[in-house]
Amino acid sequence: MAASVAVADLPGPGDTNDEPSSIPIATPVDLSSLDIGSDAELATQFEADGYCVAPGVVDASQLEACRAAALEALDECKARDPTMGVGQRSGYKEIVQRMPGRYEMRHGLDRAPLLSLRRRVEKSSAFETARRILRDEIRILGCSVVIAEQDCEAQAWHVDGAHLSPSEHLSPHVLNIFVPLVDITKGGGTEIKPGSHFLTRNLAKQMLLARIKKTLRPPVVPLVTPGDALLFDYRVLHRGTLNNTGGARPVFVLTVAKPWFRDLVNFPKRPLFPEVDCN
């Protein structure tokens, strides 16, 4: 997951909690009735909607140990810098507080539960779907855990990365695979504007045209049951919702891309744990 990139007619970058009043709050959407399941079907949905949900990617019984490992690692980061600021300039190569109470962390990912989870995801249907989406040109760009603390506010609508061409819509070149480490089916999760990856190349103009043509689609919160994975295009409008799960909401993130793609805006270079080599 890259540092959020603000788009033209939104109020600010994704590490703020400003909310544009013109976009309503979504309710969870269950896609199971659509009988979407194969890699090819998921890839087709992804290219049309900017996202898809891969079911049963990991064993749900793994998630509690992963959650505990992630929160332990977060506590270690906070202990090292109790006054950590917000934004990339105040962050470290191991962790950045994207907005108050919302962290993206690479520290601790070598611990057994999280390392096992990563290996499982890399061998899963979600990864095979990502491979198909990227036309068999795939490499792992990064791995992290995004943690929204209890009652953390919703993010602003944002994209994680820009289009490659200013004049035409190209096929996906980078995407995120999200695996929530807690049950988010009763609230929380990632909210998405379906099809908005076609608009964010020139959002103001494309949004106006979509409104005129009445092709704008309402936002959705895809229903991701424990063990499922949410895949979404870097270019699609999305945001983390208010965390109303009753506790911290950690999400494991594997970011994959075309081999030639480089993301230079994710984490700063200064280490929080200089005695440890964080790759």
PDB file of all heavy atoms in Angstrom, residues 1-2 46 49-53 133 158-160 172 174-178 190-192 197 222 229-240 251 253-256:
ATOM      1  N   MET A   1       0.852  -1.198   0.000  1.00  0.00           N
ATOM      2  CA  MET A   1       0.000   0.000   0.000  1.00  0.00           C
ATOM      3  C   MET A   1       0.875   1.231   0.000  1.00  0.00           C
ATOM      4  O   MET A   1       1.668   1.447   0.898  1.00  0.00           O
ATOM      5  CB  MET A   1      -0.913   0.006   1.227  1.00  0.00           C
ATOM      6  CG  MET A   1      -1.751   1.260   1.345  1.00  0.00           C
ATOM      7  SD  MET A   1      -2.732   1.243   2.856  1.00  0.00           S
ATOM      8  CE  MET A   1      -3.448   2.859   2.793  1.00  0.00           C
ATOM      9  N   ALA A   2       0.744   2.050  -1.017  1.00  0.00           N
ATOM     10  CA  ALA A   2       1.561   3.253  -1.111  1.00  0.00           C
ATOM     11  C   ALA A   2       0.988   4.364  -0.268  1.00  0.00           C
ATOM     12  O   ALA A   2      -0.162   4.349   0.139  1.00  0.00           O
ATOM     13  CB  ALA A   2       1.648   3.708  -2.563  1.00  0.00           C
ATOM     14  N   PHE A  46     -12.367  -7.433 -11.622  1.00  0.00           N
ATOM     15  CA  PHE A  46     -11.382  -6.446 -11.176  1.00  0.00           C
ATOM     16  C   PHE A  46     -11.190  -5.358 -12.228  1.00  0.00           C
ATOM     17  O   PHE A  46     -11.171  -4.162 -11.918  1.00  0.00           O
ATOM     18  CB  PHE A  46     -10.055  -7.138 -10.893  1.00  0.00           C
ATOM     19  CG  PHE A  46      -8.979  -6.233 -10.352  1.00  0.00           C
ATOM     20  CD1 PHE A  46      -8.726  -6.180  -8.986  1.00  0.00           C
ATOM     21  CD2 PHE A  46      -8.203  -5.445 -11.194  1.00  0.00           C
ATOM     22  CE1 PHE A  46      -7.734  -5.355  -8.481  1.00  0.00           C
ATOM     23  CE2 PHE A  46      -7.216  -4.625 -10.692  1.00  0.00           C
ATOM     24  CZ  PHE A  46      -6.981  -4.573  -9.332  1.00  0.00           C
ATOM     25  N   ASP A  49     -14.474  -3.213 -12.326  1.00  0.00           N
ATOM     26  CA  ASP A  49     -14.880  -2.502 -11.117  1.00  0.00           C
ATOM     27  C   ASP A  49     -13.722  -1.853 -10.373  1.00  0.00           C
ATOM     28  O   ASP A  49     -13.937  -0.989  -9.522  1.00  0.00           O
ATOM     29  CB  ASP A  49     -15.577  -3.467 -10.154  1.00  0.00           C
ATOM     30  CG  ASP A  49     -16.869  -4.030 -10.729  1.00  0.00           C
ATOM     31  OD1 ASP A  49     -17.407  -3.429 -11.673  1.00  0.00           O
ATOM     32  OD2 ASP A  49     -17.338  -5.070 -10.220  1.00  0.00           O
ATOM     33  N   GLY A  50     -12.502  -2.301 -10.633  1.00  0.00           N
ATOM     34  CA  GLY A  50     -11.348  -1.796  -9.904  1.00  0.00           C
ATOM     35  C   GLY A  50     -11.047  -2.574  -8.646  1.00  0.00           C
ATOM     36  O   GLY A  50     -10.112  -2.239  -7.917  1.00  0.00           O
ATOM     37  N   TYR A  51     -11.826  -3.624  -8.382  1.00  0.00           N
ATOM     38  CA  TYR A  51     -11.604  -4.443  -7.192  1.00  0.00           C
ATOM     39  C   TYR A  51     -12.286  -5.794  -7.373  1.00  0.00           C
ATOM     40  O   TYR A  51     -13.135  -5.984  -8.260  1.00  0.00           O
ATOM     41  CB  TYR A  51     -12.165  -3.764  -5.940  1.00  0.00           C
ATOM     42  CG  TYR A  51     -13.666  -3.893  -5.806  1.00  0.00           C
ATOM     43  CD1 TYR A  51     -14.240  -4.895  -5.020  1.00  0.00           C
ATOM     44  CD2 TYR A  51     -14.532  -3.030  -6.488  1.00  0.00           C
ATOM     45  CE1 TYR A  51     -15.616  -5.027  -4.923  1.00  0.00           C
ATOM     46  CE2 TYR A  51     -15.899  -3.151  -6.399  1.00  0.00           C
ATOM     47  CZ  TYR A  51     -16.446  -4.151  -5.615  1.00  0.00           C
ATOM     48  OH  TYR A  51     -17.804  -4.284  -5.527  1.00  0.00           O
ATOM     49  N   CYS A  52     -11.932  -6.746  -6.517  1.00  0.00           N
ATOM     50  CA  CYS A  52     -12.647  -8.016  -6.417  1.00  0.00           C
ATOM     51  C   CYS A  52     -12.330  -8.633  -5.065  1.00  0.00           C
ATOM     52  O   CYS A  52     -11.383  -8.217  -4.392  1.00  0.00           O
ATOM     53  CB  CYS A  52     -12.288  -8.972  -7.563  1.00  0.00           C
ATOM     54  SG  CYS A  52     -10.570  -9.556  -7.545  1.00  0.00           S
ATOM     55  N   VAL A  53     -13.112  -9.609  -4.659  1.00  0.00           N
ATOM     56  CA  VAL A  53     -12.888 -10.329  -3.409  1.00  0.00           C
ATOM     57  C   VAL A  53     -12.611 -11.786  -3.728  1.00  0.00           C
ATOM     58  O   VAL A  53     -13.426 -12.457  -4.367  1.00  0.00           O
ATOM     59  CB  VAL A  53     -14.107 -10.219  -2.462  1.00  0.00           C
ATOM     60  CG1 VAL A  53     -13.892 -11.078  -1.213  1.00  0.00           C
ATOM     61  CG2 VAL A  53     -14.356  -8.772  -2.081  1.00  0.00           C
ATOM     62  N   ILE A 133      -4.376 -10.632 -13.613  1.00  0.00           N
ATOM     63  CA  ILE A 133      -4.653  -9.204 -13.821  1.00  0.00           C
ATOM     64  C   ILE A 133      -3.441  -8.500 -14.423  1.00  0.00           C
ATOM     65  O   ILE A 133      -3.573  -7.630 -15.296  1.00  0.00           O
ATOM     66  CB  ILE A 133      -5.054  -8.551 -12.485  1.00  0.00           C
ATOM     67  CG1 ILE A 133      -6.424  -9.057 -12.039  1.00  0.00           C
ATOM     68  CG2 ILE A 133      -5.058  -7.029 -12.592  1.00  0.00           C
ATOM     69  CD1 ILE A 133      -6.777  -8.720 -10.592  1.00  0.00           C
ATOM     70  N   HIS A 158      -9.268   8.634  -1.760  1.00  0.00           N
ATOM     71  CA  HIS A 158      -7.960   8.823  -2.360  1.00  0.00           C
ATOM     72  C   HIS A 158      -7.635   7.640  -3.276  1.00  0.00           C
ATOM     73  O   HIS A 158      -8.338   6.629  -3.295  1.00  0.00           O
ATOM     74  CB  HIS A 158      -6.875   8.953  -1.281  1.00  0.00           C
ATOM     75  CG  HIS A 158      -6.717   7.718  -0.450  1.00  0.00           C
ATOM     76  ND1 HIS A 158      -7.560   7.407   0.605  1.00  0.00           N
ATOM     77  CD2 HIS A 158      -5.813   6.704  -0.500  1.00  0.00           C
ATOM     78  CE1 HIS A 158      -7.199   6.272   1.146  1.00  0.00           C
ATOM     79  NE2 HIS A 158      -6.139   5.809   0.495  1.00  0.00           N
ATOM     80  N   VAL A 159      -6.578   7.796  -4.037  1.00  0.00           N
ATOM     81  CA  VAL A 159      -5.984   6.695  -4.791  1.00  0.00           C
ATOM     82  C   VAL A 159      -4.602   6.437  -4.219  1.00  0.00           C
ATOM     83  O   VAL A 159      -4.008   7.305  -3.579  1.00  0.00           O
ATOM     84  CB  VAL A 159      -5.891   7.011  -6.303  1.00  0.00           C
ATOM     85  CG1 VAL A 159      -7.270   7.207  -6.900  1.00  0.00           C
ATOM     86  CG2 VAL A 159      -5.021   8.243  -6.554  1.00  0.00           C
ATOM     87  N   ASP A 160      -4.080   5.238  -4.430  1.00  0.00           N
ATOM     88  CA  ASP A 160      -2.742   4.916  -3.927  1.00  0.00           C
ATOM     89  C   ASP A 160      -1.649   5.229  -4.938  1.00  0.00           C
ATOM     90  O   ASP A 160      -0.473   5.250  -4.591  1.00  0.00           O
ATOM     91  CB  ASP A 160      -2.662   3.436  -3.543  1.00  0.00           C
ATOM     92  CG  ASP A 160      -3.307   3.166  -2.184  1.00  0.00           C
ATOM     93  OD1 ASP A 160      -3.557   4.140  -1.446  1.00  0.00           O
ATOM     94  OD2 ASP A 160      -3.566   1.991  -1.869  1.00  0.00           O
ATOM     95  N   PRO A 172      -4.172  -2.588 -15.613  1.00  0.00           N
ATOM     96  CA  PRO A 172      -3.585  -2.405 -14.279  1.00  0.00           C
ATOM     97  C   PRO A 172      -2.093  -2.719 -14.258  1.00  0.00           C
ATOM     98  O   PRO A 172      -1.630  -3.640 -14.922  1.00  0.00           O
ATOM     99  CB  PRO A 172      -4.366  -3.403 -13.418  1.00  0.00           C
ATOM    100  CG  PRO A 172      -5.650  -3.615 -14.148  1.00  0.00           C
ATOM    101  CD  PRO A 172      -5.307  -3.519 -15.590  1.00  0.00           C
ATOM    102  N   VAL A 174      -0.354  -2.086 -10.948  1.00  0.00           N
ATOM    103  CA  VAL A 174      -0.026  -2.312  -9.538  1.00  0.00           C
ATOM    104  C   VAL A 174      -1.333  -2.416  -8.753  1.00  0.00           C
ATOM    105  O   VAL A 174      -2.304  -1.702  -9.036  1.00  0.00           O
ATOM    106  CB  VAL A 174       0.898  -1.201  -8.977  1.00  0.00           C
ATOM    107  CG1 VAL A 174       0.295   0.167  -9.154  1.00  0.00           C
ATOM    108  CG2 VAL A 174       1.239  -1.455  -7.513  1.00  0.00           C
ATOM    109  N   LEU A 175      -1.365  -3.323  -7.768  1.00  0.00           N
ATOM    110  CA  LEU A 175      -2.581  -3.524  -6.993  1.00  0.00           C
ATOM    111  C   LEU A 175      -2.238  -4.011  -5.591  1.00  0.00           C
ATOM    112  O   LEU A 175      -1.138  -4.503  -5.335  1.00  0.00           O
ATOM    113  CB  LEU A 175      -3.516  -4.511  -7.686  1.00  0.00           C
ATOM    114  CG  LEU A 175      -2.983  -5.925  -7.920  1.00  0.00           C
ATOM    115  CD1 LEU A 175      -3.490  -6.894  -6.854  1.00  0.00           C
ATOM    116  CD2 LEU A 175      -3.389  -6.434  -9.306  1.00  0.00           C
ATOM    117  N   ASN A 176      -3.200  -3.854  -4.694  1.00  0.00           N
ATOM    118  CA  ASN A 176      -3.067  -4.314  -3.315  1.00  0.00           C
ATOM    119  C   ASN A 176      -3.891  -5.571  -3.092  1.00  0.00           C
ATOM    120  O   ASN A 176      -4.995  -5.714  -3.642  1.00  0.00           O
ATOM    121  CB  ASN A 176      -3.568  -3.245  -2.338  1.00  0.00           C
ATOM    122  CG  ASN A 176      -2.655  -2.047  -2.252  1.00  0.00           C
ATOM    123  OD1 ASN A 176      -1.444  -2.183  -2.185  1.00  0.00           O
ATOM    124  ND2 ASN A 176      -3.229  -0.853  -2.248  1.00  0.00           N
ATOM    125  N   ILE A 177      -3.357  -6.463  -2.252  1.00  0.00           N
ATOM    126  CA  ILE A 177      -4.111  -7.608  -1.751  1.00  0.00           C
ATOM    127  C   ILE A 177      -4.257  -7.401  -0.243  1.00  0.00           C
ATOM    128  O   ILE A 177      -3.270  -7.417   0.490  1.00  0.00           O
ATOM    129  CB  ILE A 177      -3.393  -8.937  -2.036  1.00  0.00           C
ATOM    130  CG1 ILE A 177      -3.156  -9.111  -3.553  1.00  0.00           C
ATOM    131  CG2 ILE A 177      -4.191 -10.111  -1.476  1.00  0.00           C
ATOM    132  CD1 ILE A 177      -2.319 -10.345  -3.903  1.00  0.00           C
ATOM    133  N   PHE A 178      -5.483  -7.177   0.218  1.00  0.00           N
ATOM    134  CA  PHE A 178      -5.776  -6.927   1.630  1.00  0.00           C
ATOM    135  C   PHE A 178      -6.358  -8.192   2.269  1.00  0.00           C
ATOM    136  O   PHE A 178      -7.323  -8.754   1.742  1.00  0.00           O
ATOM    137  CB  PHE A 178      -6.828  -5.814   1.775  1.00  0.00           C
ATOM    138  CG  PHE A 178      -6.279  -4.415   1.834  1.00  0.00           C
ATOM    139  CD1 PHE A 178      -5.054  -4.086   1.294  1.00  0.00           C
ATOM    140  CD2 PHE A 178      -7.026  -3.405   2.418  1.00  0.00           C
ATOM    141  CE1 PHE A 178      -4.562  -2.785   1.341  1.00  0.00           C
ATOM    142  CE2 PHE A 178      -6.557  -2.099   2.480  1.00  0.00           C
ATOM    143  CZ  PHE A 178      -5.317  -1.797   1.944  1.00  0.00           C
ATOM    144  N   THR A 190     -12.820  -1.545   3.972  1.00  0.00           N
ATOM    145  CA  THR A 190     -12.413  -0.604   2.929  1.00  0.00           C
ATOM    146  C   THR A 190     -13.606  -0.273   2.046  1.00  0.00           C
ATOM    147  O   THR A 190     -14.292  -1.171   1.553  1.00  0.00           O
ATOM    148  CB  THR A 190     -11.283  -1.213   2.073  1.00  0.00           C
ATOM    149  OG1 THR A 190     -10.180  -1.545   2.919  1.00  0.00           O
ATOM    150  CG2 THR A 190     -10.821  -0.226   1.002  1.00  0.00           C
ATOM    151  N   GLU A 191     -13.836   0.999   1.851  1.00  0.00           N
ATOM    152  CA  GLU A 191     -14.927   1.486   1.004  1.00  0.00           C
ATOM    153  C   GLU A 191     -14.356   1.870  -0.360  1.00  0.00           C
ATOM    154  O   GLU A 191     -13.287   2.478  -0.439  1.00  0.00           O
ATOM    155  CB  GLU A 191     -15.593   2.684   1.669  1.00  0.00           C
ATOM    156  CG  GLU A 191     -16.873   3.140   1.007  1.00  0.00           C
ATOM    157  CD  GLU A 191     -17.557   4.235   1.797  1.00  0.00           C
ATOM    158  OE1 GLU A 191     -16.907   4.847   2.677  1.00  0.00           O
ATOM    159  OE2 GLU A 191     -18.737   4.502   1.528  1.00  0.00           O
ATOM    160  N   ILE A 192     -15.077   1.525  -1.420  1.00  0.00           N
ATOM    161  CA  ILE A 192     -14.575   1.684  -2.782  1.00  0.00           C
ATOM    162  C   ILE A 192     -15.637   2.329  -3.660  1.00  0.00           C
ATOM    163  O   ILE A 192     -16.835   2.066  -3.508  1.00  0.00           O
ATOM    164  CB  ILE A 192     -14.148   0.319  -3.365  1.00  0.00           C
ATOM    165  CG1 ILE A 192     -12.893  -0.195  -2.641  1.00  0.00           C
ATOM    166  CG2 ILE A 192     -13.899   0.389  -4.872  1.00  0.00           C
ATOM    167  CD1 ILE A 192     -12.453  -1.578  -3.054  1.00  0.00           C
ATOM    168  N   HIS A 197     -11.572   3.827 -11.201  1.00  0.00           N
ATOM    169  CA  HIS A 197     -10.224   3.801 -11.787  1.00  0.00           C
ATOM    170  C   HIS A 197     -10.237   4.281 -13.228  1.00  0.00           C
ATOM    171  O   HIS A 197      -9.199   4.669 -13.755  1.00  0.00           O
ATOM    172  CB  HIS A 197      -9.620   2.394 -11.684  1.00  0.00           C
ATOM    173  CG  HIS A 197     -10.424   1.306 -12.310  1.00  0.00           C
ATOM    174  ND1 HIS A 197     -11.774   1.149 -12.071  1.00  0.00           N
ATOM    175  CD2 HIS A 197     -10.081   0.310 -13.168  1.00  0.00           C
ATOM    176  CE1 HIS A 197     -12.215   0.109 -12.762  1.00  0.00           C
ATOM    177  NE2 HIS A 197     -11.212  -0.411 -13.433  1.00  0.00           N
ATOM    178  N   PRO A 222     -17.080  -3.813   0.128  1.00  0.00           N
ATOM    179  CA  PRO A 222     -17.152  -5.238  -0.209  1.00  0.00           C
ATOM    180  C   PRO A 222     -17.143  -6.098   1.052  1.00  0.00           C
ATOM    181  O   PRO A 222     -16.390  -5.845   1.992  1.00  0.00           O
ATOM    182  CB  PRO A 222     -15.888  -5.463  -1.039  1.00  0.00           C
ATOM    183  CG  PRO A 222     -15.544  -4.116  -1.590  1.00  0.00           C
ATOM    184  CD  PRO A 222     -15.943  -3.151  -0.529  1.00  0.00           C
ATOM    185  N   ALA A 229      -9.732 -12.255   0.795  1.00  0.00           N
ATOM    186  CA  ALA A 229      -8.828 -11.167   0.439  1.00  0.00           C
ATOM    187  C   ALA A 229      -9.528 -10.192  -0.492  1.00  0.00           C
ATOM    188  O   ALA A 229     -10.268 -10.594  -1.396  1.00  0.00           O
ATOM    189  CB  ALA A 229      -7.564 -11.704  -0.225  1.00  0.00           C
ATOM    190  N   LEU A 230      -9.300  -8.914  -0.265  1.00  0.00           N
ATOM    191  CA  LEU A 230      -9.788  -7.848  -1.134  1.00  0.00           C
ATOM    192  C   LEU A 230      -8.640  -7.385  -2.015  1.00  0.00           C
ATOM    193  O   LEU A 230      -7.579  -7.004  -1.504  1.00  0.00           O
ATOM    194  CB  LEU A 230     -10.314  -6.682  -0.307  1.00  0.00           C
ATOM    195  CG  LEU A 230     -10.658  -5.389  -1.061  1.00  0.00           C
ATOM    196  CD1 LEU A 230     -11.841  -5.607  -1.994  1.00  0.00           C
ATOM    197  CD2 LEU A 230     -10.935  -4.248  -0.093  1.00  0.00           C
ATOM    198  N   LEU A 231      -8.826  -7.426  -3.331  1.00  0.00           N
ATOM    199  CA  LEU A 231      -7.830  -6.932  -4.276  1.00  0.00           C
ATOM    200  C   LEU A 231      -8.364  -5.642  -4.877  1.00  0.00           C
ATOM    201  O   LEU A 231      -9.544  -5.576  -5.273  1.00  0.00           O
ATOM    202  CB  LEU A 231      -7.580  -7.933  -5.406  1.00  0.00           C
ATOM    203  CG  LEU A 231      -6.824  -9.225  -5.099  1.00  0.00           C
ATOM    204  CD1 LEU A 231      -7.662 -10.174  -4.233  1.00  0.00           C
ATOM    205  CD2 LEU A 231      -6.413  -9.920  -6.399  1.00  0.00           C
ATOM    206  N   PHE A 232      -7.527  -4.595  -4.959  1.00  0.00           N
ATOM    207  CA  PHE A 232      -7.992  -3.383  -5.628  1.00  0.00           C
ATOM    208  C   PHE A 232      -6.856  -2.655  -6.326  1.00  0.00           C
ATOM    209  O   PHE A 232      -5.705  -2.698  -5.907  1.00  0.00           O
ATOM    210  CB  PHE A 232      -8.747  -2.447  -4.664  1.00  0.00           C
ATOM    211  CG  PHE A 232      -7.948  -1.888  -3.526  1.00  0.00           C
ATOM    212  CD1 PHE A 232      -7.294  -0.672  -3.643  1.00  0.00           C
ATOM    213  CD2 PHE A 232      -7.888  -2.557  -2.322  1.00  0.00           C
ATOM    214  CE1 PHE A 232      -6.580  -0.133  -2.585  1.00  0.00           C
ATOM    215  CE2 PHE A 232      -7.176  -2.034  -1.250  1.00  0.00           C
ATOM    216  CZ  PHE A 232      -6.517  -0.821  -1.385  1.00  0.00           C
ATOM    217  N   ASP A 233      -7.228  -2.010  -7.404  1.00  0.00           N
ATOM    218  CA  ASP A 233      -6.333  -1.252  -8.273  1.00  0.00           C
ATOM    219  C   ASP A 233      -5.807  -0.028  -7.524  1.00  0.00           C
ATOM    220  O   ASP A 233      -6.559   0.645  -6.801  1.00  0.00           O
ATOM    221  CB  ASP A 233      -7.126  -0.828  -9.517  1.00  0.00           C
ATOM    222  CG  ASP A 233      -6.264  -0.356 -10.670  1.00  0.00           C
ATOM    223  OD1 ASP A 233      -5.358   0.473 -10.448  1.00  0.00           O
ATOM    224  OD2 ASP A 233      -6.517  -0.794 -11.808  1.00  0.00           O
ATOM    225  N   TYR A 234      -4.529   0.287  -7.702  1.00  0.00           N
ATOM    226  CA  TYR A 234      -3.948   1.496  -7.097  1.00  0.00           C
ATOM    227  C   TYR A 234      -4.721   2.746  -7.503  1.00  0.00           C
ATOM    228  O   TYR A 234      -4.726   3.740  -6.788  1.00  0.00           O
ATOM    229  CB  TYR A 234      -2.502   1.638  -7.566  1.00  0.00           C
ATOM    230  CG  TYR A 234      -1.446   1.396  -6.522  1.00  0.00           C
ATOM    231  CD1 TYR A 234      -1.560   0.394  -5.571  1.00  0.00           C
ATOM    232  CD2 TYR A 234      -0.285   2.167  -6.500  1.00  0.00           C
ATOM    233  CE1 TYR A 234      -0.575   0.170  -4.636  1.00  0.00           C
ATOM    234  CE2 TYR A 234       0.718   1.949  -5.565  1.00  0.00           C
ATOM    235  CZ  TYR A 234       0.559   0.951  -4.632  1.00  0.00           C
ATOM    236  OH  TYR A 234       1.554   0.733  -3.708  1.00  0.00           O
ATOM    237  N   ARG A 235      -5.370   2.730  -8.660  1.00  0.00           N
ATOM    238  CA  ARG A 235      -5.978   3.932  -9.232  1.00  0.00           C
ATOM    239  C   ARG A 235      -7.438   4.118  -8.836  1.00  0.00           C
ATOM    240  O   ARG A 235      -8.051   5.133  -9.196  1.00  0.00           O
ATOM    241  CB  ARG A 235      -5.861   3.886 -10.753  1.00  0.00           C
ATOM    242  CG  ARG A 235      -4.445   3.727 -11.253  1.00  0.00           C
ATOM    243  CD  ARG A 235      -4.390   3.374 -12.742  1.00  0.00           C
ATOM    244  NE  ARG A 235      -5.010   2.068 -12.988  1.00  0.00           N
ATOM    245  CZ  ARG A 235      -5.135   1.526 -14.193  1.00  0.00           C
ATOM    246  NH1 ARG A 235      -4.697   2.183 -15.258  1.00  0.00           N
ATOM    247  NH2 ARG A 235      -5.701   0.343 -14.340  1.00  0.00           N
ATOM    248  N   VAL A 236      -8.018   3.166  -8.121  1.00  0.00           N
ATOM    249  CA  VAL A 236      -9.433   3.263  -7.776  1.00  0.00           C
ATOM    250  C   VAL A 236      -9.608   4.130  -6.532  1.00  0.00           C
ATOM    251  O   VAL A 236      -8.784   4.110  -5.606  1.00  0.00           O
ATOM    252  CB  VAL A 236     -10.043   1.860  -7.565  1.00  0.00           C
ATOM    253  CG1 VAL A 236      -9.683   1.281  -6.195  1.00  0.00           C
ATOM    254  CG2 VAL A 236     -11.547   1.872  -7.764  1.00  0.00           C
ATOM    255  N   LEU A 237     -10.678   4.912  -6.484  1.00  0.00           N
ATOM    256  CA  LEU A 237     -10.988   5.710  -5.305  1.00  0.00           C
ATOM    257  C   LEU A 237     -11.431   4.792  -4.175  1.00  0.00           C
ATOM    258  O   LEU A 237     -12.325   3.959  -4.342  1.00  0.00           O
ATOM    259  CB  LEU A 237     -12.103   6.717  -5.613  1.00  0.00           C
ATOM    260  CG  LEU A 237     -11.718   7.952  -6.431  1.00  0.00           C
ATOM    261  CD1 LEU A 237     -12.976   8.709  -6.835  1.00  0.00           C
ATOM    262  CD2 LEU A 237     -10.778   8.857  -5.663  1.00  0.00           C
ATOM    263  N   HIS A 238     -10.805   4.962  -3.020  1.00  0.00           N
ATOM    264  CA  HIS A 238     -11.127   4.115  -1.877  1.00  0.00           C
ATOM    265  C   HIS A 238     -10.777   4.847  -0.592  1.00  0.00           C
ATOM    266  O   HIS A 238     -10.133   5.897  -0.621  1.00  0.00           O
ATOM    267  CB  HIS A 238     -10.364   2.787  -1.954  1.00  0.00           C
ATOM    268  CG  HIS A 238      -8.880   2.945  -1.793  1.00  0.00           C
ATOM    269  ND1 HIS A 238      -8.061   3.377  -2.819  1.00  0.00           N
ATOM    270  CD2 HIS A 238      -8.061   2.747  -0.724  1.00  0.00           C
ATOM    271  CE1 HIS A 238      -6.816   3.435  -2.398  1.00  0.00           C
ATOM    272  NE2 HIS A 238      -6.777   3.061  -1.126  1.00  0.00           N
ATOM    273  N   ARG A 239     -11.177   4.278   0.523  1.00  0.00           N
ATOM    274  CA  ARG A 239     -10.796   4.822   1.824  1.00  0.00           C
ATOM    275  C   ARG A 239     -11.050   3.770   2.905  1.00  0.00           C
ATOM    276  O   ARG A 239     -11.949   2.927   2.783  1.00  0.00           O
ATOM    277  CB  ARG A 239     -11.578   6.089   2.159  1.00  0.00           C
ATOM    278  CG  ARG A 239     -13.084   5.891   2.307  1.00  0.00           C
ATOM    279  CD  ARG A 239     -13.735   7.184   2.736  1.00  0.00           C
ATOM    280  NE  ARG A 239     -15.176   7.040   2.876  1.00  0.00           N
ATOM    281  CZ  ARG A 239     -15.963   7.981   3.403  1.00  0.00           C
ATOM    282  NH1 ARG A 239     -15.436   9.125   3.816  1.00  0.00           N
ATOM    283  NH2 ARG A 239     -17.256   7.791   3.510  1.00  0.00           N
ATOM    284  N   GLY A 240     -10.263   3.826   3.952  1.00  0.00           N
ATOM    285  CA  GLY A 240     -10.555   3.045   5.136  1.00  0.00           C
ATOM    286  C   GLY A 240     -11.691   3.707   5.885  1.00  0.00           C
ATOM    287  O   GLY A 240     -11.710   4.921   6.075  1.00  0.00           O
ATOM    288  N   VAL A 251      -4.854  -5.014   9.083  1.00  0.00           N
ATOM    289  CA  VAL A 251      -5.050  -5.629   7.771  1.00  0.00           C
ATOM    290  C   VAL A 251      -3.676  -5.942   7.177  1.00  0.00           C
ATOM    291  O   VAL A 251      -2.821  -5.046   7.073  1.00  0.00           O
ATOM    292  CB  VAL A 251      -5.821  -4.689   6.820  1.00  0.00           C
ATOM    293  CG1 VAL A 251      -5.939  -5.305   5.425  1.00  0.00           C
ATOM    294  CG2 VAL A 251      -7.202  -4.371   7.374  1.00  0.00           C
ATOM    295  N   VAL A 253      -1.239  -6.546   4.166  1.00  0.00           N
ATOM    296  CA  VAL A 253      -1.234  -6.003   2.810  1.00  0.00           C
ATOM    297  C   VAL A 253      -0.051  -6.567   2.021  1.00  0.00           C
ATOM    298  O   VAL A 253       1.100  -6.456   2.457  1.00  0.00           O
ATOM    299  CB  VAL A 253      -1.129  -4.463   2.813  1.00  0.00           C
ATOM    300  CG1 VAL A 253      -1.164  -3.920   1.389  1.00  0.00           C
ATOM    301  CG2 VAL A 253      -2.244  -3.852   3.653  1.00  0.00           C
ATOM    302  N   LEU A 254      -0.354  -7.149   0.873  1.00  0.00           N
ATOM    303  CA  LEU A 254       0.682  -7.536  -0.077  1.00  0.00           C
ATOM    304  C   LEU A 254       0.442  -6.728  -1.342  1.00  0.00           C
ATOM    305  O   LEU A 254      -0.651  -6.785  -1.919  1.00  0.00           O
ATOM    306  CB  LEU A 254       0.615  -9.032  -0.377  1.00  0.00           C
ATOM    307  CG  LEU A 254       1.813  -9.634  -1.112  1.00  0.00           C
ATOM    308  CD1 LEU A 254       3.050  -9.623  -0.208  1.00  0.00           C
ATOM    309  CD2 LEU A 254       1.513 -11.061  -1.564  1.00  0.00           C
ATOM    310  N   THR A 255       1.430  -5.930  -1.742  1.00  0.00           N
ATOM    311  CA  THR A 255       1.318  -5.107  -2.937  1.00  0.00           C
ATOM    312  C   THR A 255       2.134  -5.732  -4.053  1.00  0.00           C
ATOM    313  O   THR A 255       3.312  -6.043  -3.866  1.00  0.00           O
ATOM    314  CB  THR A 255       1.813  -3.679  -2.670  1.00  0.00           C
ATOM    315  OG1 THR A 255       1.041  -3.113  -1.598  1.00  0.00           O
ATOM    316  CG2 THR A 255       1.644  -2.795  -3.899  1.00  0.00           C
ATOM    317  N   VAL A 256       1.506  -5.951  -5.201  1.00  0.00           N
ATOM    318  CA  VAL A 256       2.172  -6.581  -6.339  1.00  0.00           C
ATOM    319  C   VAL A 256       2.058  -5.671  -7.556  1.00  0.00           C
ATOM    320  O   VAL A 256       1.134  -4.874  -7.679  1.00  0.00           O
ATOM    321  CB  VAL A 256       1.577  -7.970  -6.648  1.00  0.00           C
ATOM    322  CG1 VAL A 256       1.824  -8.918  -5.487  1.00  0.00           C
ATOM    323  CG2 VAL A 256       0.083  -7.886  -6.942  1.00  0.00           C
TER     324      VAL A 256
END
